[in-house]
Amino acid sequence: MAQVPSPAKSQTKGIILKGALLHDGKGKVIKDGVIAFKDGVITYVGTDFSDASYEVIDTDGQEIYPGLILPTSELGLVEIEAVSASNDNYETGRINPEVRSVIAFNTDSHVIPTVRSNGILVEQVMPKGGIFSGRSSIVQLDAWNWEDAIVQENDGQHLHWPNKYYAPGWTSPEKGLQISKTYQKYVKVIEHTLMDAEAYSKATDIKLPDFPMEAMKELFSGKEKLFIHVDEAKSIVSAVKMAQKYNIQNIVVVGGADAWLITDFLKENNIPVLLTDVHSLPEREQEAYDLPYKRAALLQEAGILVGLTHSSASNSRNLPFYAGTAAAFGVEKEEALKMITSNTAKILGIEEKYGSLEVGKSATLVISKGDLLDMRTSKVTIAFIDGRAIDLNNKHSMLYQKFKDKYEN
């Protein structure tokens, strides 16, 4: 009982889900929807399908959604955030592009079942620490080991842009925002690293490989993306322009607290944004209290491709509710759903298999008794990853049942 649920076995029989309100993750909603899948692949989406070889599950009164996708997360690397011995999410040093986060991904984490029971079934697991933190990979959240979990290995590099400003502690004689004395120093370190990496990527006769530079080669071929973690508006512009200067083709802004201020620049350069921490405070005293809730709407209205994420591994279980908040503050509901499904899949480059309910895609989906984006009604009853019905039991539900029994008896 103390162990996490065992991974589900491969799908052996076709399944038909019928009668639910079906959200396809691309903006379409089907009343009394029917979805069928076999061998882990969706074979039908619509309103009428029958096949005697398929098992039929009645989902009348419930809602079906694509499995949610959690980008730029440390889930599986961090167990208890306050206990450093349980965390394996960063390496020492500032320049570590050769670090591969996926080999530290712990499929036995007790946090993972609590997250997937809220509908999150796919994750981009990333390293953290330093300036160039290393490579992320995309995994599905029901596997015996990290090799089995991999959906896409080494999908991108993560660059943590230095903070230009900082707020002194309350005991400091300095008041208000201060300009960082090390900002320019670290910007030069980033530029020198990119300059060296681009030159290395063009070399043809390398007798002794440089492992950090080898790890960055695919940034310049376009096979891997550069995820730039940055919030301040001018820093976003500086970071993107520097990456473009060294011919990096695929750039994603992560965080993007000020991205709404520079939408013309982002749209002109076709830069998507993964907004972090919808449930947060404004960056500045003069900003509206609800600005963090409205950022997604402001970016979407400007034509920016937007996905949502969270900086905490444990709190990331609330991802659907962050989309729900965006829906309450200006984003149309199905568009908000796209920000945690198809939009994110497109940003990560896995849209051919995940992110929406379409024929030929992976049968990775969630069934809820209520609106998945509303914390008052969401109750995930069944979830499938690649057609496998996963066990939704977790430590939270076990503790709930334990103490419910205590006080009822």
Side-chain angles (χ1 to χ4, degrees), residues 75-86:
L75 178 66
L77 305 181
V78 172
E79 194 68 9
I80 304 172
E81 293 178 10
V83 181
S84 60
S86 72

mmCIF file with all atom_site columns, all heavy atoms in Angstrom, residues 75-86:
data_model
loop_
_atom_site.group_PDB
_atom_site.id
_atom_site.type_symbol
_atom_site.label_atom_id
_atom_site.label_alt_id
_atom_site.label_comp_id
_atom_site.label_asym_id
_atom_site.label_entity_id
_atom_site.label_seq_id
_atom_site.pdbx_PDB_ins_code
_atom_site.Cartn_x
_atom_site.Cartn_y
_atom_site.Cartn_z
_atom_site.occupancy
_atom_site.B_iso_or_equiv
_atom_site.pdbx_formal_charge
_atom_site.auth_seq_id
_atom_site.auth_comp_id
_atom_site.auth_asym_id
_atom_site.auth_atom_id
_atom_site.pdbx_PDB_model_num
ATOM 1  N N   . LEU A 1 75 ? 8.992  17.792 -12.277 1.00 0.00 ? 75 LEU A N   1
ATOM 2  C CA  . LEU A 1 75 ? 8.265  16.639 -11.764 1.00 0.00 ? 75 LEU A CA  1
ATOM 3  C C   . LEU A 1 75 ? 9.037  15.365 -12.091 1.00 0.00 ? 75 LEU A C   1
ATOM 4  O O   . LEU A 1 75 ? 9.425  15.122 -13.220 1.00 0.00 ? 75 LEU A O   1
ATOM 5  C CB  . LEU A 1 75 ? 6.871  16.592 -12.399 1.00 0.00 ? 75 LEU A CB  1
ATOM 6  C CG  . LEU A 1 75 ? 5.975  15.424 -12.010 1.00 0.00 ? 75 LEU A CG  1
ATOM 7  C CD1 . LEU A 1 75 ? 5.594  15.494 -10.544 1.00 0.00 ? 75 LEU A CD1 1
ATOM 8  C CD2 . LEU A 1 75 ? 4.722  15.404 -12.894 1.00 0.00 ? 75 LEU A CD2 1
ATOM 9  N N   . GLY A 1 76 ? 9.288  14.548 -11.079 1.00 0.00 ? 76 GLY A N   1
ATOM 10 C CA  . GLY A 1 76 ? 10.082 13.337 -11.255 1.00 0.00 ? 76 GLY A CA  1
ATOM 11 C C   . GLY A 1 76 ? 11.544 13.529 -10.909 1.00 0.00 ? 76 GLY A C   1
ATOM 12 O O   . GLY A 1 76 ? 12.272 12.559 -10.716 1.00 0.00 ? 76 GLY A O   1
ATOM 13 N N   . LEU A 1 77 ? 11.967 14.793 -10.804 1.00 0.00 ? 77 LEU A N   1
ATOM 14 C CA  . LEU A 1 77 ? 13.323 15.108 -10.346 1.00 0.00 ? 77 LEU A CA  1
ATOM 15 C C   . LEU A 1 77 ? 13.308 15.622 -8.916  1.00 0.00 ? 77 LEU A C   1
ATOM 16 O O   . LEU A 1 77 ? 14.306 15.535 -8.206  1.00 0.00 ? 77 LEU A O   1
ATOM 17 C CB  . LEU A 1 77 ? 13.967 16.178 -11.249 1.00 0.00 ? 77 LEU A CB  1
ATOM 18 C CG  . LEU A 1 77 ? 14.028 15.899 -12.750 1.00 0.00 ? 77 LEU A CG  1
ATOM 19 C CD1 . LEU A 1 77 ? 14.718 17.058 -13.459 1.00 0.00 ? 77 LEU A CD1 1
ATOM 20 C CD2 . LEU A 1 77 ? 14.737 14.593 -13.036 1.00 0.00 ? 77 LEU A CD2 1
ATOM 21 N N   . VAL A 1 78 ? 12.169 16.197 -8.514  1.00 0.00 ? 78 VAL A N   1
ATOM 22 C CA  . VAL A 1 78 ? 12.015 16.789 -7.185  1.00 0.00 ? 78 VAL A CA  1
ATOM 23 C C   . VAL A 1 78 ? 10.927 16.030 -6.439  1.00 0.00 ? 78 VAL A C   1
ATOM 24 O O   . VAL A 1 78 ? 9.794  15.909 -6.924  1.00 0.00 ? 78 VAL A O   1
ATOM 25 C CB  . VAL A 1 78 ? 11.646 18.279 -7.288  1.00 0.00 ? 78 VAL A CB  1
ATOM 26 C CG1 . VAL A 1 78 ? 11.303 18.846 -5.918  1.00 0.00 ? 78 VAL A CG1 1
ATOM 27 C CG2 . VAL A 1 78 ? 12.786 19.066 -7.924  1.00 0.00 ? 78 VAL A CG2 1
ATOM 28 N N   . GLU A 1 79 ? 11.256 15.504 -5.255  1.00 0.00 ? 79 GLU A N   1
ATOM 29 C CA  . GLU A 1 79 ? 10.269 14.784 -4.470  1.00 0.00 ? 79 GLU A CA  1
ATOM 30 C C   . GLU A 1 79 ? 9.698  15.680 -3.379  1.00 0.00 ? 79 GLU A C   1
ATOM 31 O O   . GLU A 1 79 ? 8.520  15.990 -3.356  1.00 0.00 ? 79 GLU A O   1
ATOM 32 C CB  . GLU A 1 79 ? 10.898 13.520 -3.872  1.00 0.00 ? 79 GLU A CB  1
ATOM 33 C CG  . GLU A 1 79 ? 9.893  12.534 -3.314  1.00 0.00 ? 79 GLU A CG  1
ATOM 34 C CD  . GLU A 1 79 ? 9.035  11.877 -4.388  1.00 0.00 ? 79 GLU A CD  1
ATOM 35 O OE1 . GLU A 1 79 ? 9.311  12.040 -5.600  1.00 0.00 ? 79 GLU A OE1 1
ATOM 36 O OE2 . GLU A 1 79 ? 8.051  11.209 -4.034  1.00 0.00 ? 79 GLU A OE2 1
ATOM 37 N N   . ILE A 1 80 ? 10.534 16.116 -2.463  1.00 0.00 ? 80 ILE A N   1
ATOM 38 C CA  . ILE A 1 80 ? 10.111 17.054 -1.409  1.00 0.00 ? 80 ILE A CA  1
ATOM 39 C C   . ILE A 1 80 ? 10.984 18.295 -1.567  1.00 0.00 ? 80 ILE A C   1
ATOM 40 O O   . ILE A 1 80 ? 12.189 18.254 -1.315  1.00 0.00 ? 80 ILE A O   1
ATOM 41 C CB  . ILE A 1 80 ? 10.275 16.449 -0.005  1.00 0.00 ? 80 ILE A CB  1
ATOM 42 C CG1 . ILE A 1 80 ? 9.498  15.134 0.098   1.00 0.00 ? 80 ILE A CG1 1
ATOM 43 C CG2 . ILE A 1 80 ? 9.806  17.428 1.057   1.00 0.00 ? 80 ILE A CG2 1
ATOM 44 C CD1 . ILE A 1 80 ? 9.761  14.368 1.381   1.00 0.00 ? 80 ILE A CD1 1
ATOM 45 N N   . GLU A 1 81 ? 10.410 19.391 -1.991  1.00 0.00 ? 81 GLU A N   1
ATOM 46 C CA  . GLU A 1 81 ? 11.182 20.571 -2.352  1.00 0.00 ? 81 GLU A CA  1
ATOM 47 C C   . GLU A 1 81 ? 12.046 21.082 -1.203  1.00 0.00 ? 81 GLU A C   1
ATOM 48 O O   . GLU A 1 81 ? 13.139 21.608 -1.423  1.00 0.00 ? 81 GLU A O   1
ATOM 49 C CB  . GLU A 1 81 ? 10.245 21.670 -2.859  1.00 0.00 ? 81 GLU A CB  1
ATOM 50 C CG  . GLU A 1 81 ? 9.573  21.298 -4.185  1.00 0.00 ? 81 GLU A CG  1
ATOM 51 C CD  . GLU A 1 81 ? 8.612  22.356 -4.680  1.00 0.00 ? 81 GLU A CD  1
ATOM 52 O OE1 . GLU A 1 81 ? 8.594  23.465 -4.108  1.00 0.00 ? 81 GLU A OE1 1
ATOM 53 O OE2 . GLU A 1 81 ? 7.888  22.095 -5.650  1.00 0.00 ? 81 GLU A OE2 1
ATOM 54 N N   . ALA A 1 82 ? 11.573 20.921 0.025   1.00 0.00 ? 82 ALA A N   1
ATOM 55 C CA  . ALA A 1 82 ? 12.307 21.441 1.187   1.00 0.00 ? 82 ALA A CA  1
ATOM 56 C C   . ALA A 1 82 ? 13.395 20.487 1.678   1.00 0.00 ? 82 ALA A C   1
ATOM 57 O O   . ALA A 1 82 ? 14.145 20.821 2.591   1.00 0.00 ? 82 ALA A O   1
ATOM 58 C CB  . ALA A 1 82 ? 11.341 21.746 2.327   1.00 0.00 ? 82 ALA A CB  1
ATOM 59 N N   . VAL A 1 83 ? 13.486 19.298 1.087   1.00 0.00 ? 83 VAL A N   1
ATOM 60 C CA  . VAL A 1 83 ? 14.496 18.309 1.499   1.00 0.00 ? 83 VAL A CA  1
ATOM 61 C C   . VAL A 1 83 ? 15.452 18.101 0.330   1.00 0.00 ? 83 VAL A C   1
ATOM 62 O O   . VAL A 1 83 ? 15.144 17.383 -0.625  1.00 0.00 ? 83 VAL A O   1
ATOM 63 C CB  . VAL A 1 83 ? 13.837 16.971 1.908   1.00 0.00 ? 83 VAL A CB  1
ATOM 64 C CG1 . VAL A 1 83 ? 14.902 15.970 2.342   1.00 0.00 ? 83 VAL A CG1 1
ATOM 65 C CG2 . VAL A 1 83 ? 12.830 17.199 3.031   1.00 0.00 ? 83 VAL A CG2 1
ATOM 66 N N   . SER A 1 84 ? 16.620 18.715 0.392   1.00 0.00 ? 84 SER A N   1
ATOM 67 C CA  . SER A 1 84 ? 17.543 18.706 -0.747  1.00 0.00 ? 84 SER A CA  1
ATOM 68 C C   . SER A 1 84 ? 17.980 17.295 -1.133  1.00 0.00 ? 84 SER A C   1
ATOM 69 O O   . SER A 1 84 ? 18.242 17.025 -2.306  1.00 0.00 ? 84 SER A O   1
ATOM 70 C CB  . SER A 1 84 ? 18.765 19.568 -0.436  1.00 0.00 ? 84 SER A CB  1
ATOM 71 O OG  . SER A 1 84 ? 19.451 19.088 0.712   1.00 0.00 ? 84 SER A OG  1
ATOM 72 N N   . ALA A 1 85 ? 18.068 16.389 -0.165  1.00 0.00 ? 85 ALA A N   1
ATOM 73 C CA  . ALA A 1 85 ? 18.500 15.019 -0.472  1.00 0.00 ? 85 ALA A CA  1
ATOM 74 C C   . ALA A 1 85 ? 17.516 14.280 -1.371  1.00 0.00 ? 85 ALA A C   1
ATOM 75 O O   . ALA A 1 85 ? 17.868 13.273 -1.990  1.00 0.00 ? 85 ALA A O   1
ATOM 76 C CB  . ALA A 1 85 ? 18.704 14.239 0.825   1.00 0.00 ? 85 ALA A CB  1
ATOM 77 N N   . SER A 1 86 ? 16.282 14.768 -1.464  1.00 0.00 ? 86 SER A N   1
ATOM 78 C CA  . SER A 1 86 ? 15.276 14.110 -2.302  1.00 0.00 ? 86 SER A CA  1
ATOM 79 C C   . SER A 1 86 ? 15.178 14.744 -3.692  1.00 0.00 ? 86 SER A C   1
ATOM 80 O O   . SER A 1 86 ? 14.327 14.358 -4.496  1.00 0.00 ? 86 SER A O   1
ATOM 81 C CB  . SER A 1 86 ? 13.903 14.156 -1.623  1.00 0.00 ? 86 SER A CB  1
ATOM 82 O OG  . SER A 1 86 ? 13.374 15.469 -1.650  1.00 0.00 ? 86 SER A OG  1
#
